[in-house]
Amino acid sequence: MNRKPLLAFLILVLAAGCATDSPAPQVGPDGLVGVPSGRLDQVYVRPDNQLSGYRKVMLDPVGVQLRSDWVQQRHGLNYQIHPTYPRYKEADEVTRETAAAVADSLAKAFRASGFELVETPGAGVMRVSARVTDLFVNAPDIVSPGYARNVTRDAGEATLSLEARDAVDGKALARVSHHAIARQTPRANVANDPANSLWMETLYQRWADSCAAEIGSAAHIAQASLKN
């Protein structure tokens, strides 16, 4: 059997496949373009490189929403039988502490990326709104005398989203969404209030650092993808 014609046909097909255009970038209803990210689940930016003109950031208060089953199953991932004792923390205390931690993380991240933080709208000011949803913090055993300590693999998890708009006209500039789990090692870790706070605050800071870095560079990637 003469294999040369078949081999030539396969080479031609492969060459044609390599020559096809890359998929067009995803454009959202607000005109933002999806760009690849190795750190965040979803990143969308304004494609016409307008982000380069924003070096000031105004932070809105952070919204926080607990996962619907948190109150009933706040010990659901802990490795022990659920003891009966007063609540670890009230829901409003958890949301208040989370909002403060995320706001502090964003402020540190944007400052470190060279942005100036301001409190009033103006030209060249990017208004950043962040939201934490489906928040689940593994509550430690704080009162039960029958247990020496409480352990868990995950300190908690949450979906973190951020939206950046022009502070004057409200035009969408960037949008980020990411689901994160505070899991450092495959083994169980001690679950108590200081430890849980440490792991969750580390999670928020890493997310904030990634957001600030992506917003500072993703606009150039989006512009290049539209030109190809």
Side-chain angles (χ1 to χ4, degrees):
M1 178 180 177
N2 189 353
R3 299 179 181 272
K4 291 183 178 180
L6 178 59
L7 180 60
F9 173 75
L10 291 175
I11 293 175
L12 181 62
V13 170
L14 290 174
C18 294
T20 56
D21 295 334
S22 58
Q26 303 176 22
V27 181
D30 49 8
L32 301 184
V33 176
V35 296
S37 172
R39 293 176 284 192
L40 299 167
D41 293 341
Q42 294 181 336
V43 178
Y44 290 82
V45 298
R46 176 71 49 184
D48 48 7
N49 204 25
Q50 293 186 32
L51 282 176
S52 60
Y54 293 86
R55 301 311 301 170
K56 297 180 180 180
V57 169
M58 182 175 72
L59 295 175
D60 283 339
V62 178
V64 179
Q65 182 180 34
L66 289 163
R67 208 170 75 185
S68 60
D69 63 345
W70 183 83
V71 174
Q72 292 79 19
Q73 299 182 17
R74 56 190 178 278
H75 297 271
L77 299 181
N78 287 350
Y79 297 149
Q80 66 174 42
I81 299 174
H82 301 183
T84 301
Y85 51 82
R87 290 180 179 179
Y88 154 58
K89 281 182 179 178
E90 294 297 332
D92 59 347
E93 184 179 0
V94 175
T95 57
R96 191 167 57 248
E97 291 178 353
T98 300
V102 173
D104 183 62
S105 297
L106 287 170
K108 291 177 181 177
F110 279 104
R111 283 198 190 100
S113 295
F115 291 88
E116 177 187 353
L117 295 185
V118 298
E119 295 183 356
T120 57
V125 176
M126 180 167 52
R127 187 166 193 161
V128 173
S129 301
R131 183 165 177 79
V132 182
T133 56
D134 292 330
L135 173 64
F136 191 101
V137 180
N138 271 319
D141 178 3
I142 57 174
V143 182
S144 174
Y147 299 97
R149 62 180 181 175
N150 201 343
V151 295
T152 181
R153 286 188 59 189
D154 305 330
E157 61 183 281
T159 298
L160 302 154
S161 58
L162 179 147
E163 189 177 75
R165 293 184 174 273
D166 185 284
V168 176
D169 62 18
K171 177 175 59 179
L173 299 173
R175 187 172 67 254
V176 174
S177 179
H178 184 69
H179 183 79
I181 301 176
R183 176 186 297 165
Q184 293 300 109
T185 63
R187 62 181 176 81
N189 296 307
V190 173
N192 54 40
D193 192 23
N196 278 7
S197 296
L198 171 66
W199 294 125
M200 294 304 293
E201 287 172 6
T202 300
L203 180 152
Y204 301 145
Q205 191 62 62
R206 288 179 176 176
W207 170 78
D209 290 342
S210 296
C211 287
E214 294 286 6
I215 288 176
S217 63
H220 301 286
I221 300 175
Q223 180 70 7
S225 67
L226 289 180
K227 289 180 178 179
N228 292 337

